[in-house]
Amino acid sequence: MHTDLFEMDIDVQVVSGAYIHWTMVNMYQGVQNVVVRFRTKASTSESYLLINSHFDSKPGSPGTGDDGAMVVIMLETLRVIATTRTPFHHPIIFLFNGAEENPLQASHGFITQHKWAKNCKALINLDSAGSGNREVLFQSGPNHPWLMDIYRKSVKRSFASTFAEEIFQSGLIPSDTDFRNFCDFGKVPGLDMAHSYNGYVYHTKFDGISVIPRGTLQTTGNNILGLVRTFTNSSILKDPSRHAEGHMVFYDFFGYFVVSYTESTGRILNTCVSVSAVLVIGISMYLMAADSFVSIGYTLRLFSLIFVLHLIGWILAIALPLLMATIFDSADRSMTWFTSKWLVFGLYICPMLMGLSAPTLLYLSISRNDKVSQPYRLQMVDHAHTLILSILCILLTYSSIRSSYFLMIPLLFHAISLVINMVTTLHKQAYYWSIFVMLCQIIPFLYFTYLFYALTCSIMPMMGRFGSSSNPDLYIAIISVLGTMLSMGYLIPLLNIFNRPKLVFLILPAVTLVIALIAITQIGFPYRPATNVQRVNLQEVRRVFYEYDGTVSRNESGYLFDFQDRRKELPFAPYVDLEDLYNISDECDKYMMCGMPIFNHRTTKSRRQASFLPREVPLQLPGVPQLTLLRKTINTTTETVRFEFELKGPSHMSIFVQPLEKVTVSDWSFLADMLLREPPFHVYFSYGKISTPLKFYIDLKTENSEFEEPLMQLGISGHYINFEHERDAETKKFLATFPPYSYIMEWPSSYERYMF
């Protein structure tokens, strides 16, 4: 480090706090951040650039991809800046946060409580949902277009997509990042970037250094270093709020450069291209009518027929892949593509092409319209495709779907081919017009093939942790339809140029049949040891229900399964004895939070899909949370009763509160906004360096002011997720029966239900 130019301050923050995260109060105590402030000595700027990654990992996972690689890149960026004599204007905060997986606690602690947080004016958030390769920019802003200008100028190997941003923000992706807290609680605009390749090993024991491509650190490091240098010398960083102007549309072009413009510019561009494309096909049909010596009315009637047929083709193109996805799911054969990605070609792409082309191919094969030639009628098929795309583009654009640029791209290039054909008069020379149609569709074909291949490589592994309630084949089918429609929508009608188009067409159902048969063999089995595993969250559970008089009404041990994908327990049947396994949905109707030690916000959401396997041998737990009623105080003035408690236990616990009928929670020691929601109320509590007991109170109010009767259920769950806790012999024996292609994220947990 050049001490004559730079200075560095290091602060280890130990912080406690709470905020509402999804359906729970997310409360933390004594979590850590390592914060580095690096600046040029001559700088007087008080506007900081914040760079964040997390050094914690999921229990059982080395965390090399998530998020060790990004931590290394941050450290190397700091080293390069410190050892080169290149001054910069704005200071940099390197935040190595210690509780992202918990979830997102340390970032909240930093942005709401750290002394340097108020100076942070822009953010680069670095995370991962995979293991290396290129990092994707999947969130920008919000409402700060200048961020994309900096990204475009700084990044050498870009990979960015508005489509990825809209998918992520829709909630379809089963992940979240610290970016949320920095934006929501600190109002810090920024860029959210993550590695998403090879998500099969994400959050598993296989996420080690051996699966990280070595070029990852260099490529991502170069990009981050370029961003840091541009950000720290940007005059905008002094007051970014003056440059908040709305959402951006952005996408990279094969990684070589980035196209970006504001949402309002996108509306104008999409509208102009769509309207122009419709005008061009109108001129084309006028020329067809003149050249065919028929009236424009006759031409429009013929076009209307072809338009209806092509619209039916669109419906079939969507319906057939979805039907395939439904059939395979109904036959318990979902996710056949999970390891063998190429199966998607026969299962979804071929049916899509078959459905899109069938109606017009059949019509062109049997029609005998001598007034308008076959080449002209084939051009009308592409015109019908243009009209459908134009209508959809306008509708999506004015529905604020920024990814509507997808439709603008093929429209633009097809309109160019139409203009060229009309100017050169190739449009009336047999099938020669198809040459420029194909040439002009090369770029859309390559772009959408590139984009949707990258998308499927990211989405397919995520389906392995998407949960069991939804059919993942439907999502992959929709992605396949969208990508194929955009890349080949103008090309597939050109089958009719062949002398025997029906014979060429029959290749599609033949390929579908062959690949469907392959998919139901062992090739289509989704899982492989170490590389493509089936994930299961498994809790070894002991649950005890205490009644109001202190008696125990239920004392049971067993295993709580939270299956992470659609196939659930079926792949385990040949190996594991699951004869007594049952779904707990009925218990969710009967007991508060299903009467189970629900872990966090995600398991709360999926609890009705969970299953329970009782065991005869009582579970030997490492410990049990200790709940102590300190005092019960009746306030006759407010007609409320206060229960004060002290809770001791493991580093991860949950508190569930369910007032009984005609009883309400009027106040408590946690966040008051949570009480505006419907009970049961969930408080997720975890601690790090500070392990002092949690003291809290709950105030209850009744309609009859009677406080010497049962008023509420109080559930306490304790989670021993660290592997320093020994599993009992029965658990070890049970875990040993799982097949090698499974990854079991397991931990002992307790649940006590009390009545007060």
Side-chain angles (χ1 to χ4, degrees), residues 183-205:
C183 291
D184 290 352
F185 296 100
K187 308 303 179 186
V188 182
L191 305 175
D192 200 4
M193 308 166 75
H195 293 134
S196 61
Y197 181 76
N198 193 18
Y200 296 107
V201 299
Y202 169 76
H203 284 182
T204 73
K205 65 181 179 182

mmCIF file of all heavy atoms in Angstrom, residues 183-205:
data_model
loop_
_atom_site.group_PDB
_atom_site.id
_atom_site.type_symbol
_atom_site.label_atom_id
_atom_site.label_comp_id
_atom_site.label_asym_id
_atom_site.label_seq_id
_atom_site.Cartn_x
_atom_site.Cartn_y
_atom_site.Cartn_z
ATOM 1 N N CYS A 183 -31.204 -0.825 -0.515
ATOM 2 C CA CYS A 183 -32.168 0.042 -1.203
ATOM 3 C C CYS A 183 -33.317 0.449 -0.284
ATOM 4 O O CYS A 183 -33.688 1.619 -0.224
ATOM 5 C CB CYS A 183 -32.718 -0.662 -2.440
ATOM 6 S SG CYS A 183 -31.522 -0.877 -3.762
ATOM 7 N N ASP A 184 -33.876 -0.532 0.449
ATOM 8 C CA ASP A 184 -35.065 -0.261 1.259
ATOM 9 C C ASP A 184 -34.756 0.587 2.488
ATOM 10 O O ASP A 184 -35.524 1.492 2.830
ATOM 11 C CB ASP A 184 -35.715 -1.572 1.698
ATOM 12 C CG ASP A 184 -36.356 -2.325 0.547
ATOM 13 O OD1 ASP A 184 -36.421 -1.764 -0.562
ATOM 14 O OD2 ASP A 184 -36.778 -3.478 0.748
ATOM 15 N N PHE A 185 -33.647 0.294 3.163
ATOM 16 C CA PHE A 185 -33.360 0.966 4.429
ATOM 17 C C PHE A 185 -32.328 2.086 4.300
ATOM 18 O O PHE A 185 -32.291 2.979 5.143
ATOM 19 C CB PHE A 185 -32.883 -0.057 5.467
ATOM 20 C CG PHE A 185 -33.926 -1.069 5.829
ATOM 21 C CD1 PHE A 185 -33.909 -2.337 5.267
ATOM 22 C CD2 PHE A 185 -34.943 -0.758 6.712
ATOM 23 C CE1 PHE A 185 -34.874 -3.284 5.584
ATOM 24 C CE2 PHE A 185 -35.919 -1.690 7.041
ATOM 25 C CZ PHE A 185 -35.889 -2.956 6.474
ATOM 26 N N GLY A 186 -31.497 2.029 3.258
ATOM 27 C CA GLY A 186 -30.492 3.070 3.085
ATOM 28 C C GLY A 186 -30.734 3.967 1.899
ATOM 29 O O GLY A 186 -30.056 4.987 1.750
ATOM 30 N N LYS A 187 -31.709 3.590 1.049
ATOM 31 C CA LYS A 187 -32.003 4.348 -0.172
ATOM 32 C C LYS A 187 -30.742 4.542 -1.015
ATOM 33 O O LYS A 187 -30.533 5.594 -1.617
ATOM 34 C CB LYS A 187 -32.627 5.707 0.162
ATOM 35 C CG LYS A 187 -33.836 5.644 1.084
ATOM 36 C CD LYS A 187 -34.941 4.770 0.528
ATOM 37 C CE LYS A 187 -36.137 4.697 1.474
ATOM 38 N NZ LYS A 187 -37.167 3.733 1.011
ATOM 39 N N VAL A 188 -29.904 3.502 -1.043
ATOM 40 C CA VAL A 188 -28.659 3.563 -1.804
ATOM 41 C C VAL A 188 -28.884 2.887 -3.159
ATOM 42 O O VAL A 188 -29.172 1.692 -3.212
ATOM 43 C CB VAL A 188 -27.506 2.856 -1.057
ATOM 44 C CG1 VAL A 188 -26.207 2.972 -1.858
ATOM 45 C CG2 VAL A 188 -27.331 3.445 0.331
ATOM 46 N N PRO A 189 -28.772 3.621 -4.254
ATOM 47 C CA PRO A 189 -28.919 2.996 -5.572
ATOM 48 C C PRO A 189 -27.659 2.222 -5.937
ATOM 49 O O PRO A 189 -26.566 2.516 -5.435
ATOM 50 C CB PRO A 189 -29.115 4.194 -6.505
ATOM 51 C CG PRO A 189 -28.349 5.298 -5.839
ATOM 52 C CD PRO A 189 -28.502 5.069 -4.350
ATOM 53 N N GLY A 190 -27.814 1.237 -6.802
ATOM 54 C CA GLY A 190 -26.616 0.485 -7.146
ATOM 55 C C GLY A 190 -26.842 -0.590 -8.174
ATOM 56 O O GLY A 190 -27.886 -0.661 -8.837
ATOM 57 N N LEU A 191 -25.840 -1.449 -8.286
ATOM 58 C CA LEU A 191 -25.827 -2.563 -9.220
ATOM 59 C C LEU A 191 -25.767 -3.860 -8.423
ATOM 60 O O LEU A 191 -24.943 -3.992 -7.517
ATOM 61 C CB LEU A 191 -24.617 -2.469 -10.155
ATOM 62 C CG LEU A 191 -24.458 -1.166 -10.948
ATOM 63 C CD1 LEU A 191 -23.144 -1.175 -11.725
ATOM 64 C CD2 LEU A 191 -25.634 -0.955 -11.897
ATOM 65 N N ASP A 192 -26.634 -4.801 -8.762
ATOM 66 C CA ASP A 192 -26.668 -6.105 -8.093
ATOM 67 C C ASP A 192 -26.170 -7.146 -9.085
ATOM 68 O O ASP A 192 -26.788 -7.369 -10.136
ATOM 69 C CB ASP A 192 -28.101 -6.422 -7.653
ATOM 70 C CG ASP A 192 -28.151 -7.472 -6.550
ATOM 71 O OD1 ASP A 192 -27.080 -7.885 -6.078
ATOM 72 O OD2 ASP A 192 -29.267 -7.869 -6.158
ATOM 73 N N MET A 193 -25.060 -7.789 -8.754
ATOM 74 C CA MET A 193 -24.401 -8.698 -9.684
ATOM 75 C C MET A 193 -24.148 -10.032 -8.996
ATOM 76 O O MET A 193 -23.863 -10.079 -7.796
ATOM 77 C CB MET A 193 -23.082 -8.085 -10.167
ATOM 78 C CG MET A 193 -23.246 -6.671 -10.706
ATOM 79 S SD MET A 193 -21.697 -5.772 -10.909
ATOM 80 C CE MET A 193 -21.078 -6.560 -12.381
ATOM 81 N N ALA A 194 -24.234 -11.113 -9.776
ATOM 82 C CA ALA A 194 -24.056 -12.437 -9.175
ATOM 83 C C ALA A 194 -23.580 -13.434 -10.218
ATOM 84 O O ALA A 194 -23.907 -13.324 -11.403
ATOM 85 C CB ALA A 194 -25.362 -12.926 -8.556
ATOM 86 N N HIS A 195 -22.814 -14.410 -9.769
ATOM 87 C CA HIS A 195 -22.522 -15.578 -10.588
ATOM 88 C C HIS A 195 -23.737 -16.501 -10.528
ATOM 89 O O HIS A 195 -24.280 -16.740 -9.450
ATOM 90 C CB HIS A 195 -21.291 -16.318 -10.060
ATOM 91 C CG HIS A 195 -20.023 -15.543 -10.205
ATOM 92 N ND1 HIS A 195 -19.090 -15.421 -9.191
ATOM 93 C CD2 HIS A 195 -19.529 -14.833 -11.249
ATOM 94 C CE1 HIS A 195 -18.075 -14.682 -9.611
ATOM 95 N NE2 HIS A 195 -18.320 -14.309 -10.852
ATOM 96 N N SER A 196 -24.143 -17.024 -11.667
ATOM 97 C CA SER A 196 -25.334 -17.881 -11.677
ATOM 98 C C SER A 196 -25.107 -19.204 -12.401
ATOM 99 O O SER A 196 -26.026 -20.013 -12.508
ATOM 100 C CB SER A 196 -26.508 -17.143 -12.341
ATOM 101 O OG SER A 196 -26.199 -16.805 -13.686
ATOM 102 N N TYR A 197 -23.898 -19.433 -12.887
ATOM 103 C CA TYR A 197 -23.614 -20.669 -13.616
ATOM 104 C C TYR A 197 -23.415 -21.826 -12.642
ATOM 105 O O TYR A 197 -22.878 -21.654 -11.551
ATOM 106 C CB TYR A 197 -22.365 -20.475 -14.475
ATOM 107 C CG TYR A 197 -21.979 -21.684 -15.296
ATOM 108 C CD1 TYR A 197 -22.684 -22.010 -16.451
ATOM 109 C CD2 TYR A 197 -20.922 -22.497 -14.915
ATOM 110 C CE1 TYR A 197 -22.335 -23.115 -17.208
ATOM 111 C CE2 TYR A 197 -20.564 -23.602 -15.663
ATOM 112 C CZ TYR A 197 -21.276 -23.911 -16.805
ATOM 113 O OH TYR A 197 -20.929 -25.014 -17.547
ATOM 114 N N ASN A 198 -23.833 -23.020 -13.050
ATOM 115 C CA ASN A 198 -23.670 -24.241 -12.249
ATOM 116 C C ASN A 198 -24.298 -24.098 -10.868
ATOM 117 O O ASN A 198 -23.675 -24.365 -9.837
ATOM 118 C CB ASN A 198 -22.189 -24.627 -12.117
ATOM 119 C CG ASN A 198 -22.019 -26.038 -11.570
ATOM 120 O OD1 ASN A 198 -22.944 -26.844 -11.602
ATOM 121 N ND2 ASN A 198 -20.836 -26.341 -11.060
ATOM 122 N N GLY A 199 -25.563 -23.699 -10.863
ATOM 123 C CA GLY A 199 -26.289 -23.600 -9.603
ATOM 124 C C GLY A 199 -26.608 -24.941 -8.974
ATOM 125 O O GLY A 199 -27.193 -24.994 -7.887
ATOM 126 N N TYR A 200 -26.211 -26.027 -9.618
ATOM 127 C CA TYR A 200 -26.459 -27.362 -9.057
ATOM 128 C C TYR A 200 -25.728 -27.566 -7.728
ATOM 129 O O TYR A 200 -26.201 -28.306 -6.867
ATOM 130 C CB TYR A 200 -26.010 -28.440 -10.046
ATOM 131 C CG TYR A 200 -26.775 -28.451 -11.341
ATOM 132 C CD1 TYR A 200 -26.196 -27.996 -12.525
ATOM 133 C CD2 TYR A 200 -28.087 -28.915 -11.393
ATOM 134 C CE1 TYR A 200 -26.897 -28.015 -13.722
ATOM 135 C CE2 TYR A 200 -28.797 -28.929 -12.586
ATOM 136 C CZ TYR A 200 -28.193 -28.472 -13.748
ATOM 137 O OH TYR A 200 -28.896 -28.485 -14.923
ATOM 138 N N VAL A 201 -24.567 -26.936 -7.571
ATOM 139 C CA VAL A 201 -23.795 -27.145 -6.342
ATOM 140 C C VAL A 201 -23.997 -26.020 -5.331
ATOM 141 O O VAL A 201 -23.462 -26.073 -4.221
ATOM 142 C CB VAL A 201 -22.289 -27.284 -6.662
ATOM 143 C CG1 VAL A 201 -22.049 -28.476 -7.572
ATOM 144 C CG2 VAL A 201 -21.729 -26.012 -7.294
ATOM 145 N N TYR A 202 -24.754 -25.015 -5.692
ATOM 146 C CA TYR A 202 -25.046 -23.875 -4.818
ATOM 147 C C TYR A 202 -25.673 -24.359 -3.510
ATOM 148 O O TYR A 202 -26.599 -25.165 -3.503
ATOM 149 C CB TYR A 202 -25.983 -22.946 -5.582
ATOM 150 C CG TYR A 202 -26.635 -21.829 -4.819
ATOM 151 C CD1 TYR A 202 -25.926 -20.692 -4.464
ATOM 152 C CD2 TYR A 202 -27.989 -21.885 -4.508
ATOM 153 C CE1 TYR A 202 -26.543 -19.644 -3.806
ATOM 154 C CE2 TYR A 202 -28.619 -20.844 -3.850
ATOM 155 C CZ TYR A 202 -27.890 -19.726 -3.497
ATOM 156 O OH TYR A 202 -28.513 -18.692 -2.844
ATOM 157 N N HIS A 203 -25.127 -23.902 -2.393
ATOM 158 C CA HIS A 203 -25.617 -24.247 -1.053
ATOM 159 C C HIS A 203 -25.520 -25.743 -0.755
ATOM 160 O O HIS A 203 -26.346 -26.284 -0.019
ATOM 161 C CB HIS A 203 -27.063 -23.771 -0.860
ATOM 162 C CG HIS A 203 -27.170 -22.297 -0.621
ATOM 163 N ND1 HIS A 203 -28.374 -21.672 -0.380
ATOM 164 C CD2 HIS A 203 -26.228 -21.314 -0.590
ATOM 165 C CE1 HIS A 203 -28.174 -20.371 -0.213
ATOM 166 N NE2 HIS A 203 -26.872 -20.132 -0.335
ATOM 167 N N THR A 204 -24.532 -26.405 -1.335
ATOM 168 C CA THR A 204 -24.297 -27.812 -1.016
ATOM 169 C C THR A 204 -22.834 -27.992 -0.620
ATOM 170 O O THR A 204 -22.006 -27.087 -0.777
ATOM 171 C CB THR A 204 -24.602 -28.742 -2.204
ATOM 172 O OG1 THR A 204 -23.577 -28.600 -3.200
ATOM 173 C CG2 THR A 204 -25.958 -28.427 -2.826
ATOM 174 N N LYS A 205 -22.497 -29.186 -0.168
ATOM 175 C CA LYS A 205 -21.118 -29.482 0.221
ATOM 176 C C LYS A 205 -20.189 -29.564 -0.981
ATOM 177 O O LYS A 205 -18.963 -29.619 -0.825
ATOM 178 C CB LYS A 205 -21.063 -30.787 1.007
ATOM 179 C CG LYS A 205 -21.453 -32.021 0.205
ATOM 180 C CD LYS A 205 -21.406 -33.275 1.065
ATOM 181 C CE LYS A 205 -21.810 -34.519 0.277
ATOM 182 N NZ LYS A 205 -21.799 -35.738 1.130
#
